Amino acid sequence: MLTENAENPATQTPPREKPTRKRFAILAMIFVTVVINYMDRANLSIAATALSGELELNSEQMGAIFAAFGITYSISQIPGGVIVDLMRSRILYPIILIGWSLATLLQGFANSVLLIMGCRWAIGIFEAPSYPINNKVATNWFPENERASAIGIYTSGQFLGIAFLMPVLTLIQAQYGWRGLFIISGLVGIVWGVIWYFFYRDPDEHKGVNDAELKIISDGGGYNKDEVKPATDKTKGKGFNWGDLKQTLIHRKLWGIYIGQFCLGGVTIFFMTWFPKYLVDYRGLDFIKSGYLASLPFIAAFIGILLSGFSSDFLVKSGLSKEVARKSPIILGMLLSTSIIGANYTESTFWIMAFMSLAFFGIGLASIAWVFVSLLAPQGKVGLVGGTFNFIGGLSAFVIPYAIGVLAKGGQFEPALVFVASLGLIGTCSYLFLVGKVERIVPKG
Protein backbone atom coordinates (compact mmCIF):
# COMPACT_ATOMS: atom_id res chain seq x y z
CA MET A 1 0.00 0.00 0.00
CA LEU A 2 1.36 3.43 -0.96
CA THR A 3 1.72 6.07 1.71
CA GLU A 4 0.77 9.71 1.13
CA ASN A 5 4.39 10.66 0.56
CA ALA A 6 5.12 7.79 -1.78
CA GLU A 7 5.83 8.71 -5.36
CA ASN A 8 3.24 7.76 -7.94
CA PRO A 9 5.02 6.70 -11.17
CA ALA A 10 2.06 7.91 -13.20
CA THR A 11 2.52 11.50 -12.00
CA GLN A 12 6.30 11.63 -12.14
CA THR A 13 7.86 14.16 -14.51
CA PRO A 14 10.06 12.37 -17.03
CA PRO A 15 13.74 13.29 -16.74
CA ARG A 16 14.80 16.14 -19.00
CA GLU A 17 16.81 15.13 -22.03
CA LYS A 18 20.46 16.09 -21.75
CA PRO A 19 21.43 18.33 -24.69
CA THR A 20 23.98 17.00 -27.10
CA ARG A 21 26.96 19.19 -27.96
CA LYS A 22 27.38 18.56 -31.68
CA ARG A 23 27.61 22.29 -32.40
CA PHE A 24 31.14 22.19 -31.02
CA ALA A 25 32.11 19.44 -33.47
CA ILE A 26 30.81 21.70 -36.26
CA LEU A 27 32.87 24.53 -34.79
CA ALA A 28 35.96 22.32 -34.98
CA MET A 29 35.24 21.70 -38.66
CA ILE A 30 35.02 25.43 -39.37
CA PHE A 31 38.27 25.94 -37.45
CA VAL A 32 40.15 23.43 -39.62
CA THR A 33 38.70 25.00 -42.77
CA VAL A 34 39.86 28.45 -41.68
CA VAL A 35 43.37 27.09 -41.03
CA ILE A 36 43.51 25.68 -44.56
CA ASN A 37 42.03 28.89 -45.99
CA TYR A 38 44.74 31.04 -44.46
CA MET A 39 47.49 28.53 -45.16
CA ASP A 40 46.70 28.95 -48.85
CA ARG A 41 46.82 32.73 -48.49
CA ALA A 42 50.01 32.81 -46.42
CA ASN A 43 52.14 30.27 -48.28
CA LEU A 44 52.97 32.92 -50.89
CA SER A 45 54.55 35.05 -48.15
CA ILE A 46 56.85 32.12 -47.30
CA ALA A 47 57.69 31.56 -50.95
CA ALA A 48 58.13 35.29 -51.72
CA THR A 49 61.89 35.58 -51.23
CA ALA A 50 62.74 32.47 -53.27
CA LEU A 51 60.09 33.19 -55.89
CA SER A 52 61.10 36.83 -56.37
CA GLY A 53 64.75 35.77 -56.58
CA GLU A 54 64.10 33.12 -59.23
CA LEU A 55 61.88 35.42 -61.29
CA GLU A 56 63.96 38.57 -60.57
CA LEU A 57 61.07 40.63 -59.20
CA ASN A 58 61.31 44.05 -57.51
CA SER A 59 59.16 45.19 -54.58
CA GLU A 60 56.47 46.72 -56.80
CA GLN A 61 56.11 43.54 -58.84
CA MET A 62 55.99 41.42 -55.71
CA GLY A 63 53.39 43.80 -54.30
CA ALA A 64 51.30 43.29 -57.43
CA ILE A 65 51.46 39.49 -56.99
CA PHE A 66 50.46 39.82 -53.34
CA ALA A 67 47.58 42.09 -54.40
CA ALA A 68 46.31 39.74 -57.14
CA PHE A 69 44.40 37.63 -54.63
CA GLY A 70 42.73 40.70 -53.16
CA ILE A 71 41.37 41.95 -56.49
CA THR A 72 39.14 38.96 -57.23
CA TYR A 73 38.53 38.20 -53.54
CA SER A 74 36.96 41.61 -52.96
CA ILE A 75 35.08 41.78 -56.28
CA SER A 76 33.58 38.34 -55.63
CA GLN A 77 32.37 39.09 -52.11
CA ILE A 78 28.87 40.36 -52.86
CA PRO A 79 28.11 37.68 -55.48
CA GLY A 80 29.59 35.19 -53.02
CA GLY A 81 27.29 36.46 -50.25
CA VAL A 82 24.27 36.06 -52.54
CA ILE A 83 25.30 32.48 -53.32
CA VAL A 84 25.71 31.75 -49.60
CA ASP A 85 22.10 32.85 -49.02
CA LEU A 86 20.88 30.61 -51.84
CA MET A 87 22.93 27.41 -51.42
CA ARG A 88 23.39 24.89 -48.64
CA SER A 89 26.71 25.09 -46.83
CA ARG A 90 27.19 21.34 -47.18
CA ILE A 91 27.30 21.67 -50.98
CA LEU A 92 28.87 25.09 -51.45
CA TYR A 93 31.83 24.75 -49.09
CA PRO A 94 33.36 21.65 -50.75
CA ILE A 95 32.98 23.28 -54.17
CA ILE A 96 34.88 26.42 -53.25
CA LEU A 97 37.38 24.63 -50.98
CA ILE A 98 38.44 22.18 -53.67
CA GLY A 99 38.44 25.03 -56.22
CA TRP A 100 40.89 27.24 -54.33
CA SER A 101 43.00 24.22 -53.37
CA LEU A 102 43.40 23.22 -57.01
CA ALA A 103 44.47 26.78 -57.84
CA THR A 104 46.96 26.63 -54.95
CA LEU A 105 48.38 23.36 -56.26
CA LEU A 106 48.72 24.73 -59.81
CA GLN A 107 50.98 27.54 -58.56
CA GLY A 108 53.60 24.86 -58.10
CA PHE A 109 53.69 24.35 -61.87
CA ALA A 110 53.65 28.04 -62.87
CA ASN A 111 56.68 29.34 -64.77
CA SER A 112 55.74 33.00 -65.21
CA VAL A 113 54.43 35.95 -63.21
CA LEU A 114 51.19 35.95 -65.21
CA LEU A 115 50.45 32.30 -64.41
CA ILE A 116 51.11 32.83 -60.71
CA MET A 117 48.85 35.88 -60.71
CA GLY A 118 46.18 33.89 -62.55
CA CYS A 119 46.26 31.25 -59.82
CA ARG A 120 46.04 33.95 -57.15
CA TRP A 121 43.03 35.46 -58.94
CA ALA A 122 41.36 32.04 -58.94
CA ILE A 123 42.08 31.55 -55.23
CA GLY A 124 40.47 34.93 -54.53
CA ILE A 125 37.30 33.97 -56.44
CA PHE A 126 36.88 30.60 -54.74
CA GLU A 127 37.73 31.85 -51.23
CA ALA A 128 35.33 34.81 -51.45
CA PRO A 129 32.26 33.02 -50.01
CA SER A 130 34.21 31.26 -47.26
CA TYR A 131 33.76 33.73 -44.41
CA PRO A 132 30.10 34.42 -45.19
CA ILE A 133 29.62 30.63 -45.02
CA ASN A 134 31.52 30.47 -41.72
CA ASN A 135 29.31 33.21 -40.30
CA LYS A 136 26.13 31.58 -41.61
CA VAL A 137 27.07 28.21 -40.12
CA ALA A 138 27.94 29.81 -36.76
CA THR A 139 24.71 31.85 -36.80
CA ASN A 140 22.63 28.72 -37.38
CA TRP A 141 24.49 26.42 -35.00
CA PHE A 142 25.03 28.74 -32.01
CA PRO A 143 22.71 30.80 -29.80
CA GLU A 144 23.51 34.49 -29.71
CA ASN A 145 25.08 34.38 -26.23
CA GLU A 146 27.67 31.82 -27.42
CA ARG A 147 28.25 33.27 -30.87
CA ALA A 148 31.13 35.67 -30.19
CA SER A 149 33.03 32.83 -28.54
CA ALA A 150 32.30 30.56 -31.49
CA ILE A 151 33.37 33.22 -33.98
CA GLY A 152 36.45 33.91 -31.88
CA ILE A 153 37.41 30.23 -31.85
CA TYR A 154 37.08 29.60 -35.56
CA THR A 155 38.59 32.95 -36.52
CA SER A 156 41.55 32.11 -34.28
CA GLY A 157 42.31 29.38 -36.81
CA GLN A 158 43.73 32.00 -39.13
CA PHE A 159 46.22 32.95 -36.41
CA LEU A 160 46.92 29.72 -34.53
CA GLY A 161 47.08 27.70 -37.72
CA ILE A 162 49.58 30.06 -39.32
CA ALA A 163 51.54 30.35 -36.05
CA PHE A 164 52.24 26.63 -36.06
CA LEU A 165 52.27 26.24 -39.82
CA MET A 166 54.73 29.06 -40.49
CA PRO A 167 57.76 27.02 -39.31
CA VAL A 168 56.33 23.90 -40.99
CA LEU A 169 55.76 25.70 -44.30
CA THR A 170 59.26 27.15 -44.07
CA LEU A 171 60.74 23.68 -43.60
CA ILE A 172 58.63 22.26 -46.45
CA GLN A 173 59.99 24.93 -48.76
CA ALA A 174 63.54 24.30 -47.55
CA GLN A 175 63.07 20.61 -48.37
CA TYR A 176 60.95 20.71 -51.54
CA GLY A 177 61.28 24.28 -52.80
CA TRP A 178 58.56 26.86 -53.28
CA ARG A 179 56.86 24.71 -55.93
CA GLY A 180 56.58 21.76 -53.54
CA LEU A 181 55.16 24.12 -50.91
CA PHE A 182 52.23 25.04 -53.16
CA ILE A 183 51.58 21.46 -54.29
CA ILE A 184 51.46 20.06 -50.74
CA SER A 185 49.24 22.92 -49.52
CA GLY A 186 46.79 22.31 -52.35
CA LEU A 187 46.51 18.58 -51.71
CA VAL A 188 45.61 19.16 -48.06
CA GLY A 189 42.67 21.38 -49.03
CA ILE A 190 41.33 18.94 -51.63
CA VAL A 191 41.20 16.14 -49.05
CA TRP A 192 39.44 18.37 -46.51
CA GLY A 193 36.83 19.44 -49.06
CA VAL A 194 35.79 15.80 -49.48
CA ILE A 195 35.65 15.33 -45.70
CA TRP A 196 33.40 18.40 -45.28
CA TYR A 197 30.87 17.06 -47.80
CA PHE A 198 30.52 13.72 -46.05
CA PHE A 199 30.41 14.98 -42.45
CA TYR A 200 28.71 18.40 -42.42
CA ARG A 201 24.92 18.68 -41.96
CA ASP A 202 22.53 21.48 -40.99
CA PRO A 203 21.21 21.24 -37.40
CA ASP A 204 17.86 19.58 -38.22
CA GLU A 205 19.55 17.02 -40.48
CA HIS A 206 22.42 16.10 -38.20
CA LYS A 207 21.74 12.68 -36.70
CA GLY A 208 23.82 13.47 -33.62
CA VAL A 209 21.74 16.50 -32.58
CA ASN A 210 18.86 15.87 -30.17
CA ASP A 211 15.81 18.07 -29.57
CA ALA A 212 17.30 19.56 -26.41
CA GLU A 213 20.34 20.95 -28.23
CA LEU A 214 18.18 22.12 -31.11
CA LYS A 215 16.01 24.00 -28.61
CA ILE A 216 19.05 25.69 -27.06
CA ILE A 217 20.13 26.85 -30.50
CA SER A 218 16.71 28.02 -31.73
CA ASP A 219 15.60 29.65 -28.45
CA GLY A 220 18.90 31.55 -28.39
CA GLY A 221 18.29 33.12 -31.80
CA GLY A 222 20.42 30.65 -33.73
CA TYR A 223 18.98 28.04 -36.07
CA ASN A 224 16.36 29.40 -38.47
CA LYS A 225 14.96 26.83 -40.87
CA ASP A 226 13.78 29.44 -43.36
CA GLU A 227 17.28 30.90 -43.66
CA VAL A 228 19.07 27.54 -43.74
CA LYS A 229 16.92 26.09 -46.53
CA PRO A 230 16.13 28.68 -49.17
CA ALA A 231 14.10 26.11 -51.12
CA THR A 232 11.29 25.96 -48.55
CA ASP A 233 7.87 27.28 -49.49
CA LYS A 234 8.34 30.48 -47.49
CA THR A 235 11.50 31.50 -49.23
CA LYS A 236 11.06 29.98 -52.65
CA GLY A 237 11.40 32.67 -55.28
CA LYS A 238 12.92 35.21 -52.87
CA GLY A 239 16.24 35.40 -54.64
CA PHE A 240 18.56 38.37 -54.93
CA ASN A 241 17.19 41.77 -55.90
CA TRP A 242 18.79 45.19 -56.11
CA GLY A 243 16.67 46.48 -53.24
CA ASP A 244 18.39 43.99 -50.95
CA LEU A 245 21.78 45.27 -52.05
CA LYS A 246 20.65 48.84 -51.45
CA GLN A 247 19.79 47.92 -47.86
CA THR A 248 23.38 46.83 -47.28
CA LEU A 249 24.70 50.23 -48.42
CA ILE A 250 22.38 52.89 -46.98
CA HIS A 251 22.80 52.33 -43.25
CA ARG A 252 25.46 54.25 -41.34
CA LYS A 253 26.00 51.52 -38.76
CA LEU A 254 26.79 49.02 -41.51
CA TRP A 255 29.33 51.42 -43.00
CA GLY A 256 30.87 51.58 -39.55
CA ILE A 257 31.63 47.87 -39.56
CA TYR A 258 32.59 47.92 -43.26
CA ILE A 259 35.26 50.60 -42.77
CA GLY A 260 36.42 48.91 -39.58
CA GLN A 261 36.81 45.63 -41.45
CA PHE A 262 38.88 47.30 -44.17
CA CYS A 263 41.26 48.66 -41.53
CA LEU A 264 41.41 45.38 -39.63
CA GLY A 265 42.02 43.51 -42.88
CA GLY A 266 44.72 45.98 -43.89
CA VAL A 267 46.82 45.31 -40.80
CA THR A 268 46.18 41.56 -41.07
CA ILE A 269 47.20 41.44 -44.71
CA PHE A 270 50.56 43.00 -43.87
CA PHE A 271 51.30 39.99 -41.65
CA MET A 272 49.89 37.57 -44.24
CA THR A 273 52.01 38.95 -47.10
CA TRP A 274 54.96 41.26 -46.44
CA PHE A 275 55.91 40.33 -42.87
CA PRO A 276 58.23 37.32 -43.54
CA LYS A 277 59.86 39.18 -46.42
CA TYR A 278 60.27 42.24 -44.17
CA LEU A 279 62.16 40.12 -41.63
CA VAL A 280 64.45 38.53 -44.23
CA ASP A 281 65.06 41.35 -46.73
CA TYR A 282 64.71 44.47 -44.59
CA ARG A 283 65.88 43.19 -41.20
CA GLY A 284 68.46 40.68 -42.45
CA LEU A 285 67.23 37.61 -40.57
CA ASP A 286 68.05 34.06 -41.64
CA PHE A 287 65.24 32.46 -43.69
CA ILE A 288 64.74 29.45 -41.38
CA LYS A 289 64.96 31.62 -38.25
CA SER A 290 62.47 34.07 -39.72
CA GLY A 291 59.94 31.26 -40.09
CA TYR A 292 60.00 30.66 -36.34
CA LEU A 293 60.03 34.34 -35.38
CA ALA A 294 57.21 35.13 -37.81
CA SER A 295 54.98 32.73 -35.90
CA LEU A 296 55.16 34.80 -32.68
CA PRO A 297 52.74 37.58 -33.71
CA PHE A 298 50.28 34.93 -34.91
CA ILE A 299 50.36 33.28 -31.48
CA ALA A 300 49.74 36.70 -29.92
CA ALA A 301 46.80 37.27 -32.27
CA PHE A 302 45.41 33.84 -31.37
CA ILE A 303 45.50 34.72 -27.67
CA GLY A 304 43.90 38.06 -28.45
CA ILE A 305 40.95 36.68 -30.34
CA LEU A 306 40.16 33.96 -27.80
CA LEU A 307 40.33 36.53 -25.01
CA SER A 308 38.08 38.82 -27.04
CA GLY A 309 35.41 36.24 -27.84
CA PHE A 310 35.08 34.73 -24.37
CA SER A 311 35.28 38.06 -22.53
CA SER A 312 32.70 39.62 -24.87
CA ASP A 313 30.22 36.77 -24.28
CA PHE A 314 30.94 36.96 -20.53
CA LEU A 315 30.11 40.68 -20.52
CA VAL A 316 26.85 40.00 -22.38
CA LYS A 317 25.85 37.29 -19.89
CA SER A 318 26.76 39.66 -17.04
CA GLY A 319 24.11 42.09 -18.23
CA LEU A 320 26.23 44.77 -19.87
CA SER A 321 24.91 46.39 -23.02
CA LYS A 322 25.91 45.05 -26.41
CA GLU A 323 27.54 48.41 -27.15
CA VAL A 324 30.01 47.84 -24.31
CA ALA A 325 30.35 44.05 -24.54
CA ARG A 326 30.82 43.84 -28.30
CA LYS A 327 32.57 47.11 -29.12
CA SER A 328 35.14 47.28 -26.32
CA PRO A 329 37.45 44.49 -27.55
CA ILE A 330 37.38 45.88 -31.09
CA ILE A 331 38.15 49.47 -30.11
CA LEU A 332 40.91 48.44 -27.70
CA GLY A 333 42.36 46.05 -30.29
CA MET A 334 42.40 48.67 -33.05
CA LEU A 335 44.24 51.07 -30.75
CA LEU A 336 46.83 48.44 -29.83
CA SER A 337 47.46 47.69 -33.51
CA THR A 338 49.03 51.14 -33.90
CA SER A 339 51.97 49.93 -31.77
CA ILE A 340 53.41 48.43 -34.97
CA ILE A 341 55.00 51.82 -35.61
CA GLY A 342 57.37 51.17 -32.70
CA ALA A 343 59.38 48.79 -34.91
CA ASN A 344 60.61 51.84 -36.82
CA TYR A 345 62.54 53.06 -33.78
CA THR A 346 64.61 50.02 -32.84
CA GLU A 347 67.25 47.74 -34.33
CA SER A 348 66.71 45.06 -31.69
CA THR A 349 65.12 41.87 -33.00
CA PHE A 350 63.52 41.37 -29.59
CA TRP A 351 61.78 44.75 -29.64
CA ILE A 352 60.80 44.46 -33.30
CA MET A 353 59.02 41.21 -32.51
CA ALA A 354 57.54 42.70 -29.32
CA PHE A 355 55.95 45.61 -31.20
CA MET A 356 54.77 43.34 -34.00
CA SER A 357 53.28 40.85 -31.55
CA LEU A 358 51.49 43.56 -29.55
CA ALA A 359 50.03 44.99 -32.76
CA PHE A 360 48.79 41.62 -33.95
CA PHE A 361 47.46 40.82 -30.47
CA GLY A 362 45.32 43.93 -30.93
CA ILE A 363 44.10 42.69 -34.29
CA GLY A 364 43.19 39.42 -32.58
CA LEU A 365 41.10 41.35 -30.05
CA ALA A 366 39.33 43.17 -32.86
CA SER A 367 38.71 40.10 -34.99
CA ILE A 368 35.30 39.23 -33.53
CA ALA A 369 33.94 41.96 -35.81
CA TRP A 370 31.98 39.28 -37.72
CA VAL A 371 29.59 39.09 -34.77
CA PHE A 372 28.23 42.49 -35.85
CA VAL A 373 27.09 41.00 -39.16
CA SER A 374 24.84 38.58 -37.27
CA LEU A 375 23.62 41.31 -34.91
CA LEU A 376 22.98 44.09 -37.45
CA ALA A 377 22.02 42.37 -40.74
CA PRO A 378 18.34 42.53 -41.78
CA GLN A 379 16.52 39.23 -41.31
CA GLY A 380 17.38 36.72 -44.03
CA LYS A 381 20.29 38.80 -45.39
CA VAL A 382 23.17 37.63 -43.24
CA GLY A 383 24.95 36.25 -46.31
CA LEU A 384 24.51 39.41 -48.38
CA VAL A 385 25.57 41.77 -45.60
CA GLY A 386 28.44 39.40 -44.84
CA GLY A 387 29.44 39.48 -48.48
CA THR A 388 29.38 43.30 -48.55
CA PHE A 389 31.27 43.40 -45.24
CA ASN A 390 33.92 41.07 -46.60
CA PHE A 391 33.97 42.84 -49.99
CA ILE A 392 35.01 46.13 -48.41
CA GLY A 393 37.30 44.36 -45.97
CA GLY A 394 38.69 42.34 -48.85
CA LEU A 395 39.63 45.49 -50.74
CA SER A 396 42.43 45.82 -48.22
CA ALA A 397 43.95 42.60 -49.57
CA PHE A 398 44.30 44.38 -52.91
CA VAL A 399 45.11 47.95 -51.86
CA ILE A 400 47.42 47.40 -48.88
CA PRO A 401 50.01 44.92 -50.30
CA TYR A 402 50.52 47.03 -53.41
CA ALA A 403 50.66 50.27 -51.41
CA ILE A 404 53.31 48.73 -49.13
CA GLY A 405 55.32 47.67 -52.19
CA VAL A 406 55.25 51.26 -53.49
CA LEU A 407 56.16 52.74 -50.11
CA ALA A 408 59.05 50.27 -49.69
CA LYS A 409 60.33 50.82 -53.24
CA GLY A 410 63.35 52.85 -52.14
CA GLY A 411 64.53 50.09 -49.78
CA GLN A 412 63.07 51.78 -46.69
CA PHE A 413 60.17 50.10 -44.89
CA GLU A 414 59.48 52.81 -42.29
CA PRO A 415 56.81 54.68 -44.33
CA ALA A 416 54.97 51.42 -44.88
CA LEU A 417 54.70 50.76 -41.13
CA VAL A 418 53.42 54.31 -40.55
CA PHE A 419 50.76 53.62 -43.16
CA VAL A 420 49.76 50.31 -41.52
CA ALA A 421 49.58 51.96 -38.07
CA SER A 422 47.25 54.67 -39.40
CA LEU A 423 44.69 52.01 -40.30
CA GLY A 424 44.27 51.19 -36.61
CA LEU A 425 43.30 54.76 -35.81
CA ILE A 426 40.78 54.95 -38.64
CA GLY A 427 39.20 51.66 -37.55
CA THR A 428 38.87 52.92 -33.97
CA CYS A 429 37.03 56.05 -35.11
CA SER A 430 34.74 53.96 -37.31
CA TYR A 431 33.42 51.89 -34.40
CA LEU A 432 33.29 54.86 -32.05
CA PHE A 433 31.36 57.26 -34.26
CA LEU A 434 29.51 55.27 -36.96
CA VAL A 435 28.21 51.98 -35.58
CA GLY A 436 25.96 53.43 -32.89
CA LYS A 437 23.39 51.25 -31.10
CA VAL A 438 23.86 47.53 -31.66
CA GLU A 439 20.52 46.22 -32.93
CA ARG A 440 19.20 44.39 -35.98
CA ILE A 441 18.32 46.69 -38.87
CA VAL A 442 14.66 46.60 -39.89
CA PRO A 443 14.26 47.95 -43.45
CA LYS A 444 11.59 50.62 -43.81
CA GLY A 445 8.68 50.23 -46.21
Side-chain angles (χ1 to χ4, degrees), residues 148-203:
S149 299
I151 291 173
I153 289 171
Y154 78 66
T155 305
S156 73
Q158 70 191 56
F159 303 131
L160 182 65
I162 298 302
F164 287 102
L165 285 177
M166 196 73 79
V168 174
L169 295 175
T170 301
L171 292 173
I172 289 174
Q173 178 173 309
Q175 183 70 31
Y176 301 105
W178 62 270
R179 296 183 185 277
L181 173 63
F182 288 132
I183 292 170
I184 292 171
S185 298
L187 289 173
V188 170
I190 292 170
V191 171
W192 184 250
V194 174
I195 291 173
W196 179 279
Y197 176 79
F198 282 105
F199 286 92
Y200 178 79
R201 296 291 186 277
D202 291 326

Side-chain angles (χ1 to χ4, degrees), residues 42-58 62 65-66 107 110-113 116 169-182 273-274 276-281 285-288 290:
N43 51 19
L44 180 61
S45 69
I46 301 296
T49 296
L51 187 152
S52 61
E54 182 175 321
L55 300 179
E56 299 180 349
L57 305 177
N58 59 34
M62 199 63 231
I65 291 176
F66 279 137
Q107 288 176 110
N111 54 14
S112 71
V113 173
I116 292 173
L169 295 175
T170 301
L171 292 173
I172 289 174
Q173 178 173 309
Q175 183 70 31
Y176 301 105
W178 62 270
R179 296 183 185 277
L181 173 63
F182 288 132
T273 56
W274 280 100
K277 189 171 176 63
Y278 165 75
L279 294 179
V280 174
D281 293 356
L285 297 182
D286 172 76
F287 174 70
I288 299 295
S290 72

Side-chain angles (χ1 to χ4, degrees), residues 5 13 15 43-44 81 121 190 222 229 243 249 277 306 313 321 324 328 335 340 364 382 420:
N5 295 328
T13 302
N43 51 19
L44 180 61
W121 289 330
I190 292 170
K229 295 181 178 58
L249 300 174
K277 189 171 176 63
L306 287 186
D313 278 348
S321 69
V324 174
S328 296
L335 286 173
I340 197 171
V382 171
V420 173

Side-chain angles (χ1 to χ4, degrees), residues 25-270:
I26 298 299
L27 181 60
M29 291 183 67
I30 307 175
F31 178 90
V32 173
T33 309
V34 170
V35 171
I36 294 171
N37 184 309
Y38 274 79
M39 174 182 69
D40 291 338
R41 299 188 198 189
N43 51 19
L44 180 61
S45 69
I46 301 296
T49 296
L51 187 152
S52 61
E54 182 175 321
L55 300 179
E56 299 180 349
L57 305 177
N58 59 34
S59 65
E60 269 190 279
Q61 292 171 317
M62 199 63 231
I65 291 176
F66 279 137
F69 165 86
I71 296 172
T72 52
Y73 182 76
S74 58
I75 290 173
S76 303
Q77 282 303 312
I78 294 177
V82 173
I83 293 171
V84 169
D85 283 332
L86 297 176
M87 287 187 66
R88 296 188 180 193
S89 302
R90 183 197 174 198
I91 304 299
L92 182 57
Y93 226 151
I95 291 173
I96 65 169
L97 210 165
I98 293 173
W100 89 59
S101 297
L102 283 171
T104 297
L105 185 151
L106 288 175
Q107 288 176 110
F109 299 94
N111 54 14
S112 71
V113 173
L114 185 60
L115 287 175
I116 292 173
M117 291 185 70
C119 290
R120 301 301 292 182
W121 289 330
I123 293 170
I125 292 171
F126 282 109
E127 284 198 5
S130 58
Y131 259 72
I133 296 176
N134 295 341
N135 193 58
K136 183 178 181 179
V137 171
T139 298
N140 283 292
W141 273 92
F142 284 85
E144 197 279 325
N145 64 2
E146 294 179 357
R147 202 169 297 149
S149 299
I151 291 173
I153 289 171
Y154 78 66
T155 305
S156 73
Q158 70 191 56
F159 303 131
L160 182 65
I162 298 302
F164 287 102
L165 285 177
M166 196 73 79
V168 174
L169 295 175
T170 301
L171 292 173
I172 289 174
Q173 178 173 309
Q175 183 70 31
Y176 301 105
W178 62 270
R179 296 183 185 277
L181 173 63
F182 288 132
I183 292 170
I184 292 171
S185 298
L187 289 173
V188 170
I190 292 170
V191 171
W192 184 250
V194 174
I195 291 173
W196 179 279
Y197 176 79
F198 282 105
F199 286 92
Y200 178 79
R201 296 291 186 277
D202 291 326
D204 69 327
E205 295 180 342
H206 199 298
K207 293 181 180 179
V209 176
N210 63 12
D211 290 339
E213 182 177 18
L214 200 58
K215 181 175 173 56
I216 289 173
I217 296 169
S218 59
D219 288 355
Y223 176 65
N224 184 318
K225 189 174 183 178
D226 290 339
E227 290 189 28
V228 173
K229 295 181 178 58
T232 59
D233 291 338
K234 285 186 178 182
T235 58
K236 192 173 183 179
K238 290 187 178 181
F240 170 77
N241 65 71
W242 290 105
D244 294 334
L245 179 59
K246 179 182 177 182
Q247 287 298 323
T248 70
L249 300 174
I250 63 175
H251 298 282
R252 186 185 71 176
K253 61 174 72 254
L254 290 181
W255 275 103
I257 65 172
Y258 296 160
I259 294 170
Q261 187 67 2
F262 177 90
C263 296
L264 186 148
V267 181
T268 302
I269 205 66
F270 161 73

Side-chain angles (χ1 to χ4, degrees), residues 270 274-275 278 282 344 404 407-408 411-418:
F270 161 73
W274 280 100
F275 181 50
Y278 165 75
Y282 294 89
N344 281 345
I404 290 174
L407 291 170
Q412 299 295 317
F413 215 86
E414 288 83 356
L417 292 187
V418 173

